[in-house]
Amino acid sequence: MKIAVGAMLYEGNTFARGETGLAAFQSNYLFEGAEILERLIDGDVEVSGALKVLQASGATIVPLIATHGGCGGKLVAGCFEELCSRLLSRMDCDVDGVYLALHGAMVCADEPEPEVALMQRIRELVGSVPIVVTLDLHAHITPKLLSLCDAIVGYQHYPHDDAFETGVRGASLLLQSLGGRARLTSRMRKLSLLVPPTTAGTRLPTPMREMYRQCRSLEGLPGILAVSYFPSTPWAERPDGGTAFVVVTDGTAVDVETHLEKLCTVLWRSRSRFQPDVHLLEDVISLTAHDIAGPVIVSEMSDAVGAGAAGDSAYILEKFKHSAVQTPVLIQIVDPEVSALARRYGVGSRISCVIGNKVENRYGEPVELTAEVLSFFDGAFTYSGGLMSGIRATVGPSAVIRARNITILVTDRPAYEYADEQYAAAGLNVREFQYVVVKNPMNFQQVYAWAPKRFGLDTPGAGRADLTKLEWESCQRPFYPLDDSEEAIYRST
Ligand SMILES: [Zn+2]
């Protein structure tokens, strides 16, 4: 048996001004052909899980490309085509099946439905052989995408610490199909409901935790092989945006529609619980002004690179600069100009600069600053968990500078943060600061659970948690939370 294996993931944000090119894929991981087997076989990503299962079955692997570009604004024109042609050029038209890991929320300057376009081209090459696709649970599922795959399976966990297991599940479904034990059949329903990822963690007491339980219990029923939820990323705006459920069966008669209806109804009834718990920095400061035990973790989630924002907001820096806070504050800002300036003047020098909001200039202004250059950092770090666990990545040549009580890690380029890997790799111990600004939509609640206090901030930005404050353009009304109804509102499927 010959099975093609590949991965091409990227999460886009249509509210962000930044653009992403091939370099972002190279900064995370981009392996081609046999390199995939060498570099990912012992990894934690989807392809690692799929390879373990497929190799154990004795299948011959046809490695395509495996890459993750992280999150950001649109992919620049030509980037998607470049990745597609690298992937498709390695496709063997005689394969017996295809396993592919995609994100499902790619946004491109020159292709409105990238995942659909890729799958159409793969189908044309391989014909009707089984294709199983695994997706991030922030994927946008459409009937068209589903029709091009035999089965779609999503991450079960948010934070995403189950990429490997998702690869295992996807590849196992493919083997069941190839062995004649299942005729994979996938059905979906989609609510006209957008939820902020900030309140949709599957380990926190959120409605998604309840959905996790319900999906797992359905998977125990005869004929049902996989049940996935896709709350999607609200920050990659689509006309038919919403939360989808997908049920994969073995082809035997199962009343899938009733199960889908029930899942949708339960989630719709919980919609008000997705209201984000966010605060103004001024309120957080007055609430914590007399706290001795630190650090207080404040998440400027609207600028989270993991949400597709540029990571270059200086909004909170400006607020701290003009606040009465005298205790040590730690912030991270992407600004290649300031990083280069600091490196030019050297450790111990004082620099005057304007920092931040150079890419994302829609939501804030650059901030004037005089700062001391403390140290440099080559940018290399290793993800300590999540969907890129164990992957060596980089934020590029970076500098640590300090203005009064505010220490700033100034990086050359954005990279998704799982925990404090980037601060730690720069030699910064978050425990030594009173206020630590992270740019993390939801995960900070768990990875910083040890910290005495944690707050999400209500700040402007491309990853704003309060969805009612975003400038929507194309998402068709009605949709929750902009519109409401006692009866569930559905997208047509
Ligand atoms: Zn995700």
Side-chain angles (χ1 to χ4, degrees), residues 459-480:
T459 48
R464 192 160 201 162
D466 186 345
L467 303 183
T468 64
K469 291 180 179 164
L470 287 168
E471 290 174 25
W472 297 94
E473 286 176 7
S474 65
C475 192
Q476 285 166 8
R477 309 282 291 266
F479 71 91
Y480 189 87

Side-chain angles (χ1 to χ4, degrees), residues 316-384:
I316 285 301
L317 168 65
E318 176 80 350
K319 293 267 180 196
F320 268 117
K321 192 179 152 193
H322 294 293
S323 77
V325 171
Q326 301 290 322
T327 45
V329 174
L330 180 61
I331 298 184
Q332 181 168 349
I333 295 176
V334 178
D335 193 322
E337 283 174 21
V338 174
S339 165
L341 182 76
R343 297 171 76 83
R344 197 157 61 241
Y345 278 83
V347 169
S349 62
R350 288 188 77 74
I351 56 168
S352 292
C353 59
V354 286
I355 185 169
N357 288 110
K358 290 171 188 167
V359 173
E360 200 55 86
N361 54 12
R362 185 176 358 179
Y363 305 107
E365 298 283 322
V367 171
E368 283 187 24
L369 209 65
T370 300
E372 182 191 351
V373 179
L374 297 185
S375 61
F376 301 135
F377 159 51
D378 69 2
F381 70 97
T382 303
Y383 282 105
S384 62

